[in-house]
């Protein structure tokens, strides 16, 4: 019996992808083993984060890195860092931002529910641009000139959500922001693969970038990477680490926290509720190294084998089935089933959720009648179970 069975909690088959509400993905045994090893010892957390910084810097090309409890946590402490810099008084005041640069510019088309993490710091979002291509009435999105026009002496940062279709291009946003010494914070939580994105946004000049540890990287569900400029990572660390320290005894690792740059020792900061444990930090670093070692090609083949296995079971069903992302090693291969109506898609969804174990699909396109099977979070043998259940449900 597994731990969930012993506790009477039903497990599911997650064919929806690395969704947080479905518990993300599956960790490799090496990652679980590293976490168990980590749990058996105690360490100084600032020393562990300094090691994490070295590892993340090496892999991302950033000056420094940090591990938080997720991408959203990384966005919060990263934004806090942009608001306060190394001013301990400002850190203590957040989320009261009176007297600070507290405006964060965001292209209107980049707004999403995760910007709560930005607003939690006390920052005020300034939305810019008119994404009229979204309404079908035009062809444009936010323009760099919209961002340039919005920058003022109150601007703390530009918030940029990276996707394959984000506009304006990041490099252009960086150019206008840096012309006014404004940092750019990139939410790239789910932008892996391609693996090259671990370095791309930093190479394009982003000052801070976040990636989720619990998505494609395959780390603990509650982990995330923040990487970027050294002084901003230092400011983020100071607002996340436990700061119950005695001033004259406190001796943090200088490559993460350079005490000579601090006028005073900050107290617990706004990020303290986003605590990451030693187990998460070690798990994330282990998973990150395995992710890099596997490479896009091998990962794509692993996922493709499951996607093909599902599609093979659907060869005779009376609905069009497509396998996408087959030929692109940087894509996640997926199986789409196109039902005639939304009602038919709902019926299929309901039937699979009633399957034991329940099977969850990607339903983001369900209103158009399409359901999608994503192989990223399947266990060995799940692809055949999903294929059989789908074939039976579709008759
Ligand atoms: C998943 C996601 C997040 C949140 O990441 P966590 O690691 O779950 O905190 C933020 N932004 C985007 C775009 C995401 O896809």
């Amino acid at each position: 019996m597994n731990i969930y069975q012993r506790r009477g909690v039903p497990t599911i088959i997650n064919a929806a992808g690395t969704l947080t509400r479905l518990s993300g993905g599956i960790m490799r045994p090496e990652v679980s083993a590293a976490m168990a090893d980590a749990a058996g010892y105690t360490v100084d957390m600032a020393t562990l984060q300094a090691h994490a910084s070295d590892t993340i810097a090496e892999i991302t090309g950033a000056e420094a890195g940090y591990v938080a409890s997720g991408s959203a946590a990384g966005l919060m402490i990263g934004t806090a860092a942009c608001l306060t810099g190394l001013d301990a008084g400002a850190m203590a005041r957040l989320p009261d931002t009176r007297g600070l640069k507290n405006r964060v510019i965001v292209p209107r088309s980049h707004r999403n529910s995760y910007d709560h993490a930005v607003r939690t710091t006390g920052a005020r979002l300034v939305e810019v641009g008119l994404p009229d291509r979204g309404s079908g009435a035009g062809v444009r999105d936010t323009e760099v000139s919209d961002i340039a026009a919005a920058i003022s002496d109150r601007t703390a940062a530009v918030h940029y959500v990276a996707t394959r279709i984000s506009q304006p291009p990041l490099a252009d946003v960086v150019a206008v922001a840096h012309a006014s010494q404004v940092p750019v914070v990139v939410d790239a939580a789910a932008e892996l693969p391609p693996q090259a994105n671990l370095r791309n946004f930093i190479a394009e000049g982003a000052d801070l970038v976040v990636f989720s540890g619990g998505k494609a990287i395959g780390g603990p569900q509650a982990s995330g990477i923040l990487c970027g400029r050294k002084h901003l990572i230092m400011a983020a660390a100071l607002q996340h680490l436990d700061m119950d320290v005695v001033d004259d005894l406190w001796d943090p690792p200088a490559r993460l926290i350079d005490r000579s740059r601090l006028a005073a020792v900050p107290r617990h900061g706004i990020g303290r509720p986003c605590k990451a444990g030693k187990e998460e930090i070690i798990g994330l670093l282990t998973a990150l190294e395995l992710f890099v070692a596997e490479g896009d090609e091998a990962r794509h083949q692993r996922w493709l084998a499951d996607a093909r296995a599902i599609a093979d079971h659907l060869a005779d069903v009376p609905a069009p089935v497509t396998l996408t992302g087959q030929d692109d090693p940087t894509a996640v291969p997926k199986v789409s089933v196109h039902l005639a109506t939304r009602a038919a898609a709902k019926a299929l969804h309901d039937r699979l959720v009633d399957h034991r174990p329940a099977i969850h699909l990607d339903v983001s396109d369900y209103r158009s009648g399409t359901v999608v099977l994503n192989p990223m979070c399947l266990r060995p043998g799940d692809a055949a179970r999903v294929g059989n259940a789908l074939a039976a449900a579709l008759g």
Side-chain angles (χ1 to χ4, degrees), residues 20 69-73 75 112 114 161 187 189-190 212-215 221 223-224:
T20 293
S69 50
S71 278
L75 289 175
N112 65 37
Y114 299 105
V161 180
D187 177 354
S212 290
K215 294 179 181 169
Q221 198 194 353
S223 69

Side-chain angles (χ1 to χ4, degrees), residues 192-206:
L192 302 171
Q195 189 168 311
N197 277 351
L198 282 168
R199 302 184 80 90
N200 285 345
F201 308 118
I202 291 291
E204 285 177 308

